[in-house]
Amino acid sequence: MTDEIIEEIRSVSKNLSRAILRGITLDRAGRTVTASIITDEAYTPADERSAAAIIRKFVPEYFESKVVISKLSPDEEMVEKKIEEAISTFSKALYATLSKGDISVTKSENEFHYVIAVAPSIAPANLCEKVSEYLQSVFCGSFSGECVVSQANLEDLEVEERRDEIEFETPVRTFQIEDFKILEGEKIRTTAVYMSDLNLVSDEVVLCGVIEDITERSYTNKKGVEKIYYCFVLSDTTARAHVTYFPRLKTVEKIKQLKVGDSVVCTGLNESYNGNLRYTAKTIDFGKTPNGFVPEKRTSKPVPKYYKTVNPQSYTDYEQTFLFTDRTVPECLKGRTFVVFDLETTGLNSSPVSGNMDKIIEIGAYKITDGEITECFSTFINPERKLSEEIINLTGITEEMVADAPKTEEVMPDFFKFCYGSILVGHNIAGFDFKFVDHYCTNCGYVLERKIIDTIPLSQELLFLSNYKLNTVADKFNITFNHHRATDDALATAKIFIELLKLKKSLPNY
């Protein structure tokens, strides 16, 4: 709506052709709406009356309207500071390399030209276009810019980044096996790997857990002989592992005696197959997790110092906060930061140990600070596999859209940095989205804290609806969006989350 207002104001007079709308304030007690406009040209009483008439059209009849026009043309120092502010928003990595003198600004009448000395490979695409757009949202006047090459601080930055990559290696957690008893193996096993840490490739990995499911299957070997094999589902309370086992003739009868509820120790091979990990047991014995087993906390890589691939963008939700919208912020939102996110994926398999786990193809996330939506994190991800027709039809995301997108290992460090220190929020986040980001962050060495709030049970607690799908809950609050796209779904969820907490007036457990 604000875009529509300012465009109409600019069209009524050349004196207001570069005007910007600084803000609109509402005095509820005095029933007055005041619009503040900035222009870089001298204006006439007629211009002021024209602008007032336009504002009047957008204000309800029971409110008075006022227009305050002021003339402002920035100087070079003001523009330079705003360029620094813009770069700090668009690219933290580039901002970290800036030195005194890397930004210069010259002024000619109402036109400004700036030059930014940037380190190669650090500056985001269309930097000057983004900076100019930012300046035009703050100041009147025309802005143009260019980037020139600078080597300053680049070597120090690269050394620091390499150090971060080399010095930290995520340790694999293990626990002591109790009551070990040989069934078919020949070696006593004393320690087992946490199933939640089963993201390593190794010729010998020991797992210990309770059998939750056993399935006997068959295959025909190269000689045309039918053979049996078993698929086990094991759990050690940290995760579940799917285990394939091909029995030997001398032990097949022993294996047939195993049943659901038995606690076993598997020793086998964990290998990469078609981009996923597959565990095949060589031997199966008896053994248990420790009595009263409490998993130790995973160790995470430090938070990356810079965004390298995906730079969050500042966000202002004019529609949600405009004029007569209730902007009261619940106390439970103040002093806290939330990241509301949504994913689009290649499918629904969110278990890393159940075979062909699906990949993320889009992340959309919004940061809520003190009850205001302030930042957006959005990117496609190249899944390095073909998209099914079902996913293409559901999401509208095509092969071409993800072909040149960054890969998972390039995106997750940036996503971890964006989320660090925040409570995570999502619609079905516990049952779906968190499992994906937790797994792929862990693969990169980053451990997300499990501080999550799911808007589905929160909606079920506070609303009476026929169902609690995202679009149904959004309709309840008159929130419109493009469903089945991560960025749109995340924004809708962020708005829903704020509205739900206005009703609840306290945070749910997380």
Side-chain angles (χ1 to χ4, degrees):
M1 184 182 294
T2 54
D3 290 342
E4 185 180 350
I5 292 173
I6 195 60
E7 285 303 318
E8 192 165 344
I9 289 173
R10 288 172 178 170
S11 68
V12 298
S13 169
K14 66 177 183 179
N15 297 329
L16 301 177
S17 62
R18 289 192 294 270
I20 62 174
L21 187 62
R22 170 176 273 180
I24 298 177
T25 58
L26 171 65
D27 179 1
R28 292 184 183 275
R31 292 196 172 185
T32 304
V33 174
T34 303
S36 298
I37 299 171
I38 300 173
T39 180
D40 59 346
E41 296 284 353
Y43 60 92
T44 67
D47 295 331
E48 197 166 9
R49 288 193 296 272
S50 297
I54 292 169
I55 294 296
R56 176 72 263 175
K57 293 194 303 184
F58 291 89
V59 176
E61 293 181 0
Y62 48 87
F63 280 85
E64 292 185 12
S65 63
K66 293 182 180 180
V67 171
V68 177
I69 303 179
S70 55
K71 185 176 182 296
L72 174 64
S73 183
D75 58 25
E76 292 90 335
E77 185 178 352
M78 294 169 64
V79 173
E80 183 178 326
K81 288 181 179 179
K82 284 300 178 182
I83 292 173
E84 289 185 8
E85 183 180 300
I87 292 173
S88 71
T89 301
F90 301 142
S91 176
K92 301 293 185 184
L94 174 58
Y95 183 71
T97 69
L98 289 178
S99 301
K100 185 176 178 60
D102 283 347
I103 300 173
S104 60
V105 180
T106 56
K107 179 181 179 182
S108 173
E109 295 184 356
N110 287 322
E111 294 184 3
F112 293 85
H113 183 76
Y114 57 87
V115 177
I116 307 172
V118 297
S121 303
I122 296 293
N126 304 321
L127 175 64
C128 289
E129 181 181 328
K130 293 178 180 178
V131 169
S132 295
E133 183 179 343
Y134 183 83
L135 292 173
Q136 286 165 353
S137 71
V138 179
F139 299 126
C140 297
S142 300
F143 301 90
S144 62
E146 61 181 307
C147 294
V148 297
V149 175
S150 170
Q151 295 293 337
N153 298 325
L154 179 61
E155 292 182 1
D156 291 341
L157 175 61
E158 289 178 342
V159 168
E160 189 65 48
E161 290 176 347
R162 286 198 299 270
R163 186 180 297 121
D164 285 347
E165 293 171 359
I166 293 171
E167 288 184 351
F168 190 89
E169 194 169 314
T170 306
V172 176
R173 296 170 297 172
T174 61
F175 61 82
Q176 294 294 312
I177 299 171
E178 292 187 353
D179 300 334
F180 182 85
K181 181 181 177 182
I182 290 178
L183 174 63
E184 64 162 351
E186 299 176 349
K187 184 178 179 180
I188 295 175
R189 305 294 177 178
T190 57
T191 60
V193 171
Y194 280 39
M195 292 182 191
S196 58
D197 291 0
L198 193 59
N199 55 9
L200 69 159
V201 175
S202 177
D203 292 337
E204 185 172 281
V205 179
V206 179
L207 302 178
C208 175
V210 175
I211 298 174
E212 293 189 344
D213 185 64
I214 306 174
T215 304
E216 183 180 297
R217 297 177 179 174
S218 64
Y219 70 100
T220 303
N221 65 14
K222 293 180 180 179
K223 297 180 179 180
V225 178
E226 187 176 36
K227 298 282 188 177
I228 65 168
Y229 69 99
Y230 294 92
C231 295
F232 294 86
V233 178
L234 304 184
S235 172
D236 65 357
T237 74
T238 71
R240 290 181 175 85
H242 285 238
V243 177
T244 302
Y245 174 74
F246 298 89
R248 293 175 288 180
L249 286 176
K250 63 180 181 180
T251 59
V252 64
E253 293 303 321
K254 293 181 180 180
I255 299 301
K256 284 184 176 181
Q257 301 305 312
L258 293 175
K259 59 186 182 301
V260 171
D262 286 343
S263 187
V264 297
V265 175
C266 295
T267 303
L269 167 72
N270 204 42
E271 61 183 336
S272 179
Y273 181 76
N274 287 340
N276 292 275
L277 291 174
R278 179 177 65 179
Y279 185 87
T280 304
K282 297 176 182 177
T283 61
I284 298 179
D285 299 296
F286 291 113
K288 298 178 180 178
T289 57
N291 187 31
F293 174 54
V294 177
E296 65 181 71
K297 189 175 180 180
R298 290 181 293 184
T299 303
S300 176
K301 275 186 178 180
V303 182
K305 289 182 173 62
Y306 315 107
Y307 289 104
K308 296 182 182 179
T309 304
V310 183
N311 291 292
Q313 305 295 313
S314 60
Y315 177 82
T316 302
D317 187 1
Y318 294 108
E319 181 180 344
Q320 187 183 21
T321 61
F322 185 69
L323 287 179
F324 310 102
T325 301
D326 180 10
R327 299 182 62 180
T328 305
V329 177
E331 287 297 320
C332 58
L333 286 178
K334 295 179 179 178
R336 292 184 172 90
T337 303
F338 303 85
V339 169
V340 186
F341 75 95
D342 187 81
L343 308 177
E344 299 302 336
T345 62
T346 58
L348 301 179
N349 185 357
S350 60
S351 175
V353 289
S354 61
N356 194 25
M357 181 174 175
D358 281 298
K359 297 291 189 73
I360 302 170
I361 56 175
E362 185 184 20
I363 293 180
Y366 287 85
K367 186 169 288 185
I368 299 175
T369 306
D370 291 327
E372 294 287 339
I373 305 173
T374 57
E375 285 185 275
C376 174
F377 182 103
S378 177
T379 184
F380 287 121
I381 297 179
N382 185 345
E384 301 181 87
R385 64 173 65 168
K386 290 187 69 64
L387 302 182
S388 68
E389 288 297 322
E390 181 183 4
I391 292 300
I392 292 173
N393 293 334
L394 178 67
T395 66
I397 298 173
T398 65
E399 297 276 359
E400 293 75 16
M401 295 165 72
V402 298
D404 296 325
K407 297 176 183 178
T408 305
E409 59 270 21
E410 297 174 296
V411 172
M412 300 319 291
D414 287 340
F415 182 70
F416 179 78
K417 179 175 176 62
F418 186 72
C419 294
Y420 186 76
S422 302
I423 300 168
L424 302 182
V425 181
H427 207 69
N428 193 29
I429 184 176
F432 188 77
D433 302 87
F434 184 79
K435 293 180 179 180
F436 278 94
V437 295
D438 182 49
H439 172 70
Y440 288 115
C441 276
T442 300
N443 281 358
C444 296
Y446 299 101
V447 178
L448 289 164
E449 285 194 72
R450 193 179 174 84
K451 292 182 177 179
I452 61 176
I453 296 175
D454 198 320
T455 52
I456 287 183
L458 190 57
S459 300
Q460 292 170 334
E461 174 189 346
L462 299 170
L463 307 175
F464 298 95
L465 303 172
S466 58
N467 64 68
Y468 295 90
K469 296 178 181 178
L470 183 61
N471 56 333
T472 304
V473 181
D475 287 345
K476 171 67 177 179
F477 296 111
N478 297 315
I479 296 169
T480 58
F481 66 109
N482 178 24
H483 197 18
H484 295 306
R485 284 300 303 273
T487 303
D488 296 291
D489 286 4
L491 180 56
T493 305
K495 293 179 180 180
I496 288 169
F497 177 63
I498 292 171
E499 295 303 318
L500 289 172
L501 289 193
K502 286 179 182 178
L503 295 175
K504 186 174 176 63
K505 295 181 172 56
S506 65
L507 284 181
N509 293 329
Y510 57 86

